[in-house]
Amino acid sequence: LQSDLCWFGEEHKLGELAPIAGTEPHSTQVWATYDNNYLYFFFKCQEPNVDRLAKQTPQTAVWMSDCVEIFFNPAKKYTSYYLMVANARGATTGYQFVIRDQKVKSASLEPQLWDTKAETAVNTTSDAWTCEVKVPWEQLELKPKPGEALFFNARRFRFAGGQQGIYSWSPGQSSAHEVEAFGILILK
């Protein structure tokens, strides 16, 4: 799927993920498109140290390796949201977060495993790794239609450089779990 020509059009490009506080700048770009059954994302993560991509082990979480994260808030409420994580080796996991206390959001999260039913394809080149993600709309409890707005964010965790680097599509977040700081993805 990674060679599909749809990814190379600017109309699907969401843009560059920005490095967060002290993170070395390495280009991380994301594209999105959809059809009646799936929401698709494509990430291109520049990586000069592809031989050092952090491997997820049984003792570590998928998000503790070189990975991309996709946050969804289809209900457009600040009470719950979904997180899908895919790493550079193709491992995935998903969570649904419920916010118990609106005043103390990060301390009141109740994560539950979420079966994303997503498919991923990962590829590594000499200077980057890519990840394509295909998420069924039914898992987001949505039926897509043009003009629909979806609260959304995309992030990258980078460990191959020797220290953790974080990149985010939606700027201004001090924590990935700040739902009110998610961006808006509008279906065209």
Side-chain angles (χ1 to χ4, degrees), residues 70-114:
I70 306 169
F71 293 82
F72 306 99
N73 184 342
K76 295 178 248 176
K77 297 178 182 174
Y78 301 123
T79 56
S80 68
Y81 59 94
Y82 298 101
L83 166 61
M84 193 234 158
V85 185
N87 73 14
R89 303 292 183 205
T92 63
T93 193
Y95 301 96
Q96 179 181 20
F97 288 87
V98 176
I99 301 170
R100 291 189 320 259
D101 183 346
Q102 291 294 312
K103 295 176 185 159
V104 192
K105 290 180 181 64
S106 62
S108 68
L109 295 175
E110 290 182 14
Q112 302 165 11
L113 285 177
W114 169 53

Side-chain angles (χ1 to χ4, degrees), residues 37-88:
N37 298 310
Y38 298 96
L39 179 57
Y40 303 90
F41 293 93
F42 182 77
F43 291 85
K44 183 175 182 185
C45 305
Q46 178 191 14
E47 183 50 66
N49 304 306
V50 291
D51 57 324
R52 295 192 333 211
L53 286 170
K55 296 179 179 139
Q56 182 234 349
T57 68
Q59 292 78 33
T60 61
V62 175
W63 55 270
M64 291 299 295
S65 58
D66 288 279
C67 67
V68 293
E69 299 182 328
I70 306 169
F71 293 82
F72 306 99
N73 184 342
K76 295 178 248 176
K77 297 178 182 174
Y78 301 123
T79 56
S80 68
Y81 59 94
Y82 298 101
L83 166 61
M84 193 234 158
V85 185
N87 73 14

Side-chain angles (χ1 to χ4, degrees), residues 1-175:
L1 290 173
Q2 294 173 345
S3 63
D4 286 353
L5 292 177
C6 75
W7 293 126
F8 301 106
E10 289 297 312
E11 68 271 17
H12 300 296
K13 189 172 185 177
L14 298 179
E16 191 85 25
L17 276 62
I20 295 178
T23 297
E24 291 180 22
H26 290 283
S27 177
T28 304
Q29 300 173 61
V30 63
W31 289 260
T33 191
Y34 73 100
D35 61 26
N36 288 332
N37 298 310
Y38 298 96
L39 179 57
Y40 303 90
F41 293 93
F42 182 77
F43 291 85
K44 183 175 182 185
C45 305
Q46 178 191 14
E47 183 50 66
N49 304 306
V50 291
D51 57 324
R52 295 192 333 211
L53 286 170
K55 296 179 179 139
Q56 182 234 349
T57 68
Q59 292 78 33
T60 61
V62 175
W63 55 270
M64 291 299 295
S65 58
D66 288 279
C67 67
V68 293
E69 299 182 328
I70 306 169
F71 293 82
F72 306 99
N73 184 342
K76 295 178 248 176
K77 297 178 182 174
Y78 301 123
T79 56
S80 68
Y81 59 94
Y82 298 101
L83 166 61
M84 193 234 158
V85 185
N87 73 14
R89 303 292 183 205
T92 63
T93 193
Y95 301 96
Q96 179 181 20
F97 288 87
V98 176
I99 301 170
R100 291 189 320 259
D101 183 346
Q102 291 294 312
K103 295 176 185 159
V104 192
K105 290 180 181 64
S106 62
S108 68
L109 295 175
E110 290 182 14
Q112 302 165 11
L113 285 177
W114 169 53
D115 182 3
T116 65
K117 295 192 177 169
E119 295 177 39
T120 59
V122 176
N123 188 35
T124 305
T125 66
S126 62
D127 65 350
W129 66 277
T130 61
C131 182
E132 186 172 357
V133 179
K134 177 179 164 182
V135 181
W137 283 112
E138 66 186 23
Q139 292 307 103
L140 296 173
E141 300 174 13
L142 277 179
K143 292 186 186 216
K145 58 184 178 209
E148 179 81 34
L150 178 68
F151 289 7
F152 154 84
N153 194 19
R155 290 170 66 99
R156 172 190 179 188
F157 279 84
R158 178 177 180 263
F159 290 91
Q163 62 185 21
Q164 179 181 348
I166 305 172
Y167 305 80
S168 182
W169 180 73
S170 183
Q173 284 188 309
S174 59
S175 163

